[in-house]
Tab-separated table of all heavy atoms in Angstrom:
chain	number	residue	atom	x	y	z
F	113	PHE	N	17.401	-5.396	-1.500
F	113	PHE	CA	16.021	-5.872	-1.420
F	113	PHE	C	15.595	-6.575	-2.697
F	113	PHE	O	16.097	-6.307	-3.783
F	113	PHE	CB	15.079	-4.690	-1.149
F	113	PHE	CG	15.232	-4.098	0.228
F	113	PHE	CD1	16.106	-3.041	0.447
F	113	PHE	CD2	14.527	-4.608	1.307
F	113	PHE	CE1	16.265	-2.491	1.709
F	113	PHE	CE2	14.679	-4.078	2.576
F	113	PHE	CZ	15.543	-3.019	2.782
F	114	ASP	N	14.624	-7.464	-2.518
F	114	ASP	CA	14.032	-8.175	-3.647
F	114	ASP	C	12.744	-7.520	-4.129
F	114	ASP	O	12.327	-7.743	-5.262
F	114	ASP	CB	13.736	-9.627	-3.250
F	114	ASP	CG	14.982	-10.374	-2.851
F	114	ASP	OD1	15.735	-10.780	-3.761
F	114	ASP	OD2	15.234	-10.542	-1.635
F	115	ALA	N	12.107	-6.737	-3.262
F	115	ALA	CA	10.823	-6.135	-3.622
F	115	ALA	C	10.562	-4.904	-2.771
F	115	ALA	O	11.076	-4.773	-1.648
F	115	ALA	CB	9.684	-7.146	-3.438
F	116	ILE	N	9.734	-4.023	-3.309
F	116	ILE	CA	9.220	-2.872	-2.575
F	116	ILE	C	7.703	-2.930	-2.632
F	116	ILE	O	7.126	-3.278	-3.671
F	116	ILE	CB	9.746	-1.547	-3.166
F	116	ILE	CG1	9.300	-0.356	-2.313
F	116	ILE	CG2	9.318	-1.371	-4.623
F	116	ILE	CD1	9.923	0.967	-2.733
F	117	ILE	N	7.051	-2.640	-1.512
F	117	ILE	CA	5.597	-2.561	-1.455
F	117	ILE	C	5.227	-1.167	-0.952
F	117	ILE	O	5.625	-0.782	0.151
F	117	ILE	CB	4.993	-3.619	-0.521
F	117	ILE	CG1	5.324	-5.033	-1.021
F	117	ILE	CG2	3.470	-3.441	-0.411
F	117	ILE	CD1	4.855	-6.142	-0.076
F	118	VAL	N	4.475	-0.438	-1.745
F	118	VAL	CA	3.980	0.876	-1.339
F	118	VAL	C	2.562	0.686	-0.812
F	118	VAL	O	1.642	0.384	-1.574
F	118	VAL	CB	4.003	1.876	-2.499
F	118	VAL	CG1	3.462	3.233	-2.050
F	118	VAL	CG2	5.418	2.019	-3.054
F	119	ALA	N	2.409	0.807	0.502
F	119	ALA	CA	1.103	0.618	1.124
F	119	ALA	C	0.236	1.851	0.909
F	119	ALA	O	0.723	2.940	0.600
F	119	ALA	CB	1.277	0.338	2.616
F	120	GLY	N	-1.070	1.656	1.107
F	120	GLY	CA	-2.001	2.747	0.913
F	120	GLY	C	-2.479	3.372	2.207
F	120	GLY	O	-1.714	3.590	3.138
F	121	GLY	N	-3.772	3.631	2.268
F	121	GLY	CA	-4.341	4.479	3.284
F	121	GLY	C	-4.826	5.734	2.582
F	121	GLY	O	-4.661	5.895	1.365
F	122	GLN	N	-5.387	6.672	3.307
F	122	GLN	CA	-5.884	7.872	2.654
F	122	GLN	C	-4.775	8.891	2.350
F	122	GLN	O	-4.871	9.665	1.396
F	122	GLN	CB	-6.959	8.520	3.520
F	122	GLN	CG	-8.206	7.661	3.674
F	122	GLN	CD	-9.318	8.416	4.342
F	122	GLN	OE1	-9.866	9.361	3.788
F	122	GLN	NE2	-9.670	8.001	5.547
F	123	ALA	N	-3.711	8.874	3.138
F	123	ALA	CA	-2.679	9.895	2.984
F	123	ALA	C	-1.977	9.893	1.625
F	123	ALA	O	-1.656	10.978	1.114
F	123	ALA	CB	-1.652	9.780	4.111
F	124	PRO	N	-1.685	8.733	1.010
F	124	PRO	CA	-0.976	8.791	-0.269
F	124	PRO	C	-1.668	9.641	-1.337
F	124	PRO	O	-0.989	10.204	-2.206
F	124	PRO	CB	-0.910	7.317	-0.699
F	124	PRO	CG	-0.908	6.566	0.584
F	124	PRO	CD	-1.841	7.336	1.468
F	125	MET	N	-2.987	9.758	-1.262
F	125	MET	CA	-3.698	10.563	-2.256
F	125	MET	C	-3.338	12.044	-2.136
F	125	MET	O	-3.556	12.821	-3.054
F	125	MET	CB	-5.200	10.359	-2.101
F	125	MET	CG	-5.645	8.932	-2.348
F	125	MET	SD	-5.374	8.397	-4.043
F	125	MET	CE	-6.732	9.224	-4.865
F	126	VAL	N	-2.778	12.417	-1.003
F	126	VAL	CA	-2.374	13.800	-0.752
F	126	VAL	C	-0.854	13.954	-0.812
F	126	VAL	O	-0.334	14.932	-1.344
F	126	VAL	CB	-2.895	14.275	0.624
F	126	VAL	CG1	-2.426	15.689	0.943
F	126	VAL	CG2	-4.411	14.169	0.688
F	127	THR	N	-0.143	12.975	-0.293
F	127	THR	CA	1.307	13.091	-0.120
F	127	THR	C	2.130	12.549	-1.288
F	127	THR	O	3.309	12.879	-1.417
F	127	THR	CB	1.750	12.362	1.164
F	127	THR	OG1	1.353	10.976	1.064
F	127	THR	CG2	1.099	12.977	2.394
F	128	MET	N	1.524	11.705	-2.126
F	128	MET	CA	2.306	10.997	-3.140
F	128	MET	C	2.915	11.918	-4.188
F	128	MET	O	4.049	11.702	-4.644
F	128	MET	CB	1.445	9.934	-3.829
F	128	MET	CG	2.199	9.057	-4.818
F	128	MET	SD	3.505	8.086	-4.051
F	128	MET	CE	2.516	6.807	-3.234
F	129	GLU	N	2.199	12.937	-4.592
F	129	GLU	CA	2.696	13.792	-5.669
F	129	GLU	C	4.072	14.370	-5.351
F	129	GLU	O	4.940	14.461	-6.233
F	129	GLU	CB	1.705	14.919	-5.947
F	129	GLU	CG	2.135	15.807	-7.105
F	129	GLU	CD	1.101	16.847	-7.473
F	129	GLU	OE1	0.081	16.977	-6.758
F	129	GLU	OE2	1.317	17.546	-8.493
F	130	GLN	N	4.280	14.747	-4.091
F	130	GLN	CA	5.543	15.364	-3.692
F	130	GLN	C	6.625	14.352	-3.331
F	130	GLN	O	7.771	14.740	-3.091
F	130	GLN	CB	5.308	16.310	-2.513
F	130	GLN	CG	4.309	17.415	-2.804
F	130	GLN	CD	4.719	18.277	-3.991
F	130	GLN	OE1	5.899	18.621	-4.143
F	130	GLN	NE2	3.760	18.627	-4.838
F	131	ALA	N	6.270	13.073	-3.308
F	131	ALA	CA	7.221	12.034	-2.888
F	131	ALA	C	8.087	11.597	-4.067
F	131	ALA	O	8.114	10.422	-4.458
F	131	ALA	CB	6.466	10.849	-2.284
F	132	THR	N	8.811	12.535	-4.628
F	132	THR	CA	9.566	12.258	-5.846
F	132	THR	C	10.676	11.228	-5.628
F	132	THR	O	11.008	10.462	-6.538
F	132	THR	CB	10.148	13.559	-6.411
F	132	THR	OG1	10.911	14.217	-5.389
F	132	THR	CG2	9.028	14.496	-6.870
F	133	GLY	N	11.236	11.211	-4.427
F	133	GLY	CA	12.254	10.198	-4.133
F	133	GLY	C	11.669	8.794	-4.186
F	133	GLY	O	12.331	7.858	-4.665
F	134	LEU	N	10.446	8.645	-3.720
F	134	LEU	CA	9.776	7.342	-3.786
F	134	LEU	C	9.485	6.965	-5.227
F	134	LEU	O	9.657	5.802	-5.617
F	134	LEU	CB	8.486	7.371	-2.972
F	134	LEU	CG	7.622	6.104	-3.031
F	134	LEU	CD1	8.404	4.870	-2.611
F	134	LEU	CD2	6.377	6.273	-2.173
F	135	HIS	N	9.066	7.929	-6.040
F	135	HIS	CA	8.825	7.630	-7.459
F	135	HIS	C	10.081	7.031	-8.087
F	135	HIS	O	10.026	6.010	-8.788
F	135	HIS	CB	8.450	8.896	-8.239
F	135	HIS	CG	7.342	9.702	-7.656
F	135	HIS	ND1	7.078	11.001	-8.062
F	135	HIS	CD2	6.419	9.419	-6.704
F	135	HIS	CE1	6.050	11.470	-7.393
F	135	HIS	NE2	5.641	10.533	-6.536
F	136	ARG	N	11.228	7.672	-7.830
F	136	ARG	CA	12.482	7.209	-8.425
F	136	ARG	C	12.874	5.831	-7.899
F	136	ARG	O	13.342	4.970	-8.664
F	136	ARG	CB	13.594	8.214	-8.156
F	136	ARG	CG	13.421	9.549	-8.891
F	136	ARG	CD	14.680	10.401	-8.792
F	136	ARG	NE	14.954	10.803	-7.404
F	136	ARG	CZ	14.493	11.915	-6.857
F	136	ARG	NH1	13.717	12.729	-7.555
F	136	ARG	NH2	14.811	12.225	-5.607
F	137	THR	N	12.680	5.612	-6.604
F	137	THR	CA	13.055	4.327	-6.011
F	137	THR	C	12.178	3.210	-6.549
F	137	THR	O	12.657	2.107	-6.859
F	137	THR	CB	12.953	4.402	-4.477
F	137	THR	OG1	13.867	5.398	-4.004
F	137	THR	CG2	13.282	3.070	-3.834
F	138	PHE	N	10.893	3.474	-6.678
F	138	PHE	CA	9.957	2.482	-7.213
F	138	PHE	C	10.365	2.075	-8.628
F	138	PHE	O	10.423	0.883	-8.962
F	138	PHE	CB	8.546	3.074	-7.206
F	138	PHE	CG	7.443	2.096	-7.480
F	138	PHE	CD1	6.937	1.309	-6.456
F	138	PHE	CD2	6.896	1.972	-8.745
F	138	PHE	CE1	5.911	0.409	-6.692
F	138	PHE	CE2	5.876	1.070	-9.000
F	138	PHE	CZ	5.367	0.288	-7.966
F	139	VAL	N	10.675	3.053	-9.441
F	139	VAL	CA	11.110	2.773	-10.807
F	139	VAL	C	12.444	2.033	-10.814
F	139	VAL	O	12.670	1.129	-11.640
F	139	VAL	CB	11.200	4.075	-11.621
F	139	VAL	CG1	11.862	3.829	-12.974
F	139	VAL	CG2	9.807	4.670	-11.814
F	140	ALA	N	13.336	2.381	-9.883
F	140	ALA	CA	14.633	1.702	-9.806
F	140	ALA	C	14.456	0.213	-9.529
F	140	ALA	O	15.151	-0.624	-10.118
F	140	ALA	CB	15.500	2.344	-8.726
F	141	PHE	N	13.532	-0.136	-8.628
F	141	PHE	CA	13.218	-1.549	-8.397
F	141	PHE	C	12.741	-2.198	-9.686
F	141	PHE	O	13.221	-3.272	-10.076
F	141	PHE	CB	12.142	-1.686	-7.313
F	141	PHE	CG	12.673	-1.796	-5.917
F	141	PHE	CD1	12.992	-0.667	-5.190
F	141	PHE	CD2	12.844	-3.035	-5.309
F	141	PHE	CE1	13.479	-0.753	-3.895
F	141	PHE	CE2	13.321	-3.145	-4.017
F	141	PHE	CZ	13.641	-1.995	-3.306
F	142	TYR	N	11.783	-1.557	-10.324
F	142	TYR	CA	11.193	-2.141	-11.529
F	142	TYR	C	12.247	-2.338	-12.621
F	142	TYR	O	12.333	-3.417	-13.224
F	142	TYR	CB	10.060	-1.244	-12.036
F	142	TYR	CG	9.374	-1.811	-13.258
F	142	TYR	CD1	8.388	-2.788	-13.129
F	142	TYR	CD2	9.734	-1.388	-14.539
F	142	TYR	CE1	7.779	-3.326	-14.250
F	142	TYR	CE2	9.132	-1.930	-15.664
F	142	TYR	CZ	8.151	-2.902	-15.511
F	142	TYR	OH	7.552	-3.441	-16.621
F	143	GLU	N	13.046	-1.325	-12.856
F	143	GLU	CA	14.011	-1.415	-13.955
F	143	GLU	C	15.189	-2.322	-13.634
F	143	GLU	O	15.886	-2.762	-14.553
F	143	GLU	CB	14.476	-0.003	-14.344
F	143	GLU	CG	13.333	0.821	-14.953
F	143	GLU	CD	13.775	2.142	-15.532
F	143	GLU	OE1	14.849	2.647	-15.118
F	143	GLU	OE2	13.047	2.669	-16.403
F	144	ALA	N	15.381	-2.630	-12.349
F	144	ALA	CA	16.410	-3.603	-11.963
F	144	ALA	C	15.883	-5.033	-12.045
F	144	ALA	O	16.607	-5.978	-11.724
F	144	ALA	CB	16.904	-3.307	-10.552
F	145	GLY	N	14.634	-5.197	-12.464
F	145	GLY	CA	14.028	-6.523	-12.557
F	145	GLY	C	13.516	-7.044	-11.233
F	145	GLY	O	13.165	-8.216	-11.115
F	146	LYS	N	13.475	-6.165	-10.239
F	146	LYS	CA	12.956	-6.549	-8.927
F	146	LYS	C	11.461	-6.240	-8.874
F	146	LYS	O	10.915	-5.568	-9.762
F	146	LYS	CB	13.718	-5.819	-7.834
F	146	LYS	CG	15.209	-6.143	-7.887
F	146	LYS	CD	15.976	-5.637	-6.693
F	146	LYS	CE	17.421	-6.122	-6.788
F	146	LYS	NZ	18.142	-5.965	-5.507
F	147	VAL	N	10.800	-6.728	-7.839
F	147	VAL	CA	9.348	-6.574	-7.773
F	147	VAL	C	8.992	-5.187	-7.254
F	147	VAL	O	9.429	-4.779	-6.171
F	147	VAL	CB	8.722	-7.653	-6.880
F	147	VAL	CG1	7.208	-7.445	-6.768
F	147	VAL	CG2	9.020	-9.039	-7.451
F	148	ALA	N	8.208	-4.471	-8.029
F	148	ALA	CA	7.674	-3.165	-7.639
F	148	ALA	C	6.179	-3.350	-7.421
F	148	ALA	O	5.457	-3.716	-8.348
F	148	ALA	CB	7.946	-2.130	-8.720
F	149	CYS	N	5.735	-3.103	-6.196
F	149	CYS	CA	4.353	-3.406	-5.822
F	149	CYS	C	3.719	-2.198	-5.153
F	149	CYS	O	4.353	-1.482	-4.375
F	149	CYS	CB	4.325	-4.608	-4.874
F	149	CYS	SG	2.713	-4.934	-4.125
F	150	ALA	N	2.437	-1.977	-5.436
F	150	ALA	CA	1.661	-0.935	-4.774
F	150	ALA	C	0.286	-1.490	-4.442
F	150	ALA	O	-0.269	-2.300	-5.200
F	150	ALA	CB	1.546	0.300	-5.656
F	151	LEU	N	-0.255	-1.042	-3.321
F	151	LEU	CA	-1.500	-1.606	-2.790
F	151	LEU	C	-2.495	-0.499	-2.499
F	151	LEU	O	-2.151	0.515	-1.887
F	151	LEU	CB	-1.172	-2.396	-1.515
F	151	LEU	CG	-2.311	-2.952	-0.667
F	151	LEU	CD1	-3.193	-3.896	-1.477
F	151	LEU	CD2	-1.745	-3.690	0.551
F	152	CYS	N	-3.737	-0.696	-2.945
F	152	CYS	CA	-4.846	0.208	-2.646
F	152	CYS	C	-4.513	1.632	-3.105
F	152	CYS	O	-4.114	1.849	-4.244
F	152	CYS	CB	-5.175	0.123	-1.161
F	152	CYS	SG	-6.702	0.968	-0.682
F	153	HIS	N	-4.668	2.625	-2.239
F	153	HIS	CA	-4.341	3.992	-2.640
F	153	HIS	C	-2.836	4.202	-2.805
F	153	HIS	O	-2.421	5.259	-3.314
F	153	HIS	CB	-4.908	4.995	-1.634
F	153	HIS	CG	-6.395	5.173	-1.757
F	153	HIS	ND1	-7.269	4.720	-0.796
F	153	HIS	CD2	-7.160	5.731	-2.722
F	153	HIS	CE1	-8.506	5.013	-1.171
F	153	HIS	NE2	-8.473	5.622	-2.337
F	154	GLY	N	-2.037	3.212	-2.416
F	154	GLY	CA	-0.617	3.270	-2.713
F	154	GLY	C	-0.353	3.222	-4.210
F	154	GLY	O	0.704	3.657	-4.678
F	155	THR	N	-1.345	2.707	-4.978
F	155	THR	CA	-1.198	2.686	-6.431
F	155	THR	C	-1.253	4.088	-7.023
F	155	THR	O	-1.029	4.263	-8.230
F	155	THR	CB	-2.266	1.802	-7.096
F	155	THR	OG1	-3.571	2.285	-6.738
F	155	THR	CG2	-2.122	0.345	-6.654
F	156	SER	N	-1.515	5.092	-6.180
F	156	SER	CA	-1.420	6.478	-6.644
F	156	SER	C	-0.028	6.784	-7.173
F	156	SER	O	0.141	7.704	-7.981
F	156	SER	CB	-1.779	7.445	-5.512
F	156	SER	OG	-0.912	7.272	-4.396
F	157	ILE	N	0.967	6.013	-6.767
F	157	ILE	CA	2.324	6.241	-7.264
F	157	ILE	C	2.394	6.087	-8.775
F	157	ILE	O	3.223	6.720	-9.441
F	157	ILE	CB	3.338	5.288	-6.573
F	157	ILE	CG1	4.772	5.743	-6.872
F	157	ILE	CG2	3.120	3.827	-7.000
F	157	ILE	CD1	5.825	4.992	-6.082
F	158	LEU	N	1.491	5.270	-9.340
F	158	LEU	CA	1.538	5.015	-10.774
F	158	LEU	C	1.066	6.213	-11.599
F	158	LEU	O	1.265	6.252	-12.806
F	158	LEU	CB	0.710	3.768	-11.100
F	158	LEU	CG	1.231	2.482	-10.466
F	158	LEU	CD1	0.280	1.331	-10.729
F	158	LEU	CD2	2.634	2.148	-10.972
F	159	ARG	N	0.460	7.179	-10.950
F	159	ARG	CA	0.118	8.425	-11.638
F	159	ARG	C	1.365	9.264	-11.903
F	159	ARG	O	1.367	10.093	-12.833
F	159	ARG	CB	-0.866	9.225	-10.785
F	159	ARG	CG	-1.447	10.449	-11.461
F	159	ARG	CD	-2.263	11.281	-10.491
F	159	ARG	NE	-3.068	12.293	-11.159
F	159	ARG	CZ	-3.678	13.308	-10.545
F	159	ARG	NH1	-3.574	13.434	-9.224
F	159	ARG	NH2	-4.389	14.176	-11.225
F	160	TYR	N	2.411	9.042	-11.126
F	160	TYR	CA	3.591	9.901	-11.171
F	160	TYR	C	4.865	9.193	-11.628
F	160	TYR	O	5.775	9.861	-12.153
F	160	TYR	CB	3.833	10.505	-9.784
F	160	TYR	CG	2.613	11.182	-9.214
F	160	TYR	CD1	1.893	10.584	-8.176
F	160	TYR	CD2	2.165	12.393	-9.723
F	160	TYR	CE1	0.760	11.195	-7.655
F	160	TYR	CE2	1.030	13.009	-9.206
F	160	TYR	CZ	0.327	12.401	-8.182
F	160	TYR	OH	-0.803	12.999	-7.675
F	161	ALA	N	4.968	7.896	-11.411
F	161	ALA	CA	6.218	7.182	-11.696
F	161	ALA	C	6.469	7.083	-13.200
F	161	ALA	O	5.609	6.631	-13.959
F	161	ALA	CB	6.173	5.794	-11.070
F	162	ARG	N	7.652	7.510	-13.596
F	162	ARG	CA	8.046	7.447	-15.004
F	162	ARG	C	9.318	6.623	-15.153
F	162	ARG	O	10.223	6.697	-14.318
F	162	ARG	CB	8.288	8.850	-15.568
F	162	ARG	CG	7.011	9.695	-15.694
F	162	ARG	CD	7.353	11.087	-16.185
F	162	ARG	NE	6.191	11.941	-16.341
F	162	ARG	CZ	5.520	12.100	-17.484
F	162	ARG	NH1	5.936	11.452	-18.568
F	162	ARG	NH2	4.473	12.887	-17.549
F	163	SER	N	9.388	5.877	-16.212
F	163	SER	CA	10.575	5.072	-16.489
F	163	SER	C	11.736	5.988	-16.866
F	163	SER	O	11.576	7.198	-17.061
F	163	SER	CB	10.282	4.094	-17.625
F	163	SER	OG	10.131	4.808	-18.846
F	164	SER	N	12.917	5.408	-17.015
F	164	SER	CA	14.096	6.195	-17.371
F	164	SER	C	13.968	6.807	-18.757
F	164	SER	O	14.659	7.777	-19.078
F	164	SER	CB	15.355	5.320	-17.289
F	164	SER	OG	15.203	4.160	-18.093
F	165	SER	N	13.047	6.297	-19.558
F	165	SER	CA	12.805	6.868	-20.888
F	165	SER	C	11.858	8.063	-20.826
F	165	SER	O	11.652	8.745	-21.831
F	165	SER	CB	12.212	5.803	-21.817
F	165	SER	OG	10.881	5.475	-21.410
F	166	GLY	N	11.274	8.310	-19.648
F	166	GLY	CA	10.352	9.418	-19.490
F	166	GLY	C	8.897	9.032	-19.647
F	166	GLY	O	8.003	9.852	-19.420
Side-chain angles (χ1 to χ4, degrees):
F113 291 92
D114 299 282
I116 185 173
I117 298 175
V118 179
Q122 295 189 67
M125 298 295 283
V126 177
T127 58
M128 185 62 75
E129 183 175 6
Q130 302 302 319
T132 54
L134 176 56
H135 308 166
R136 292 191 295 270
T137 298
F138 191 83
V139 171
F141 270 84
Y142 182 82
E143 293 188 338
K146 301 190 175 195
V147 177
C149 171
L151 173 59
C152 190
H153 285 110
T155 58
S156 59
I157 192 172
L158 297 174
R159 188 188 193 193
Y160 308 106
R162 291 177 179 266
S163 69
S164 55
S165 69

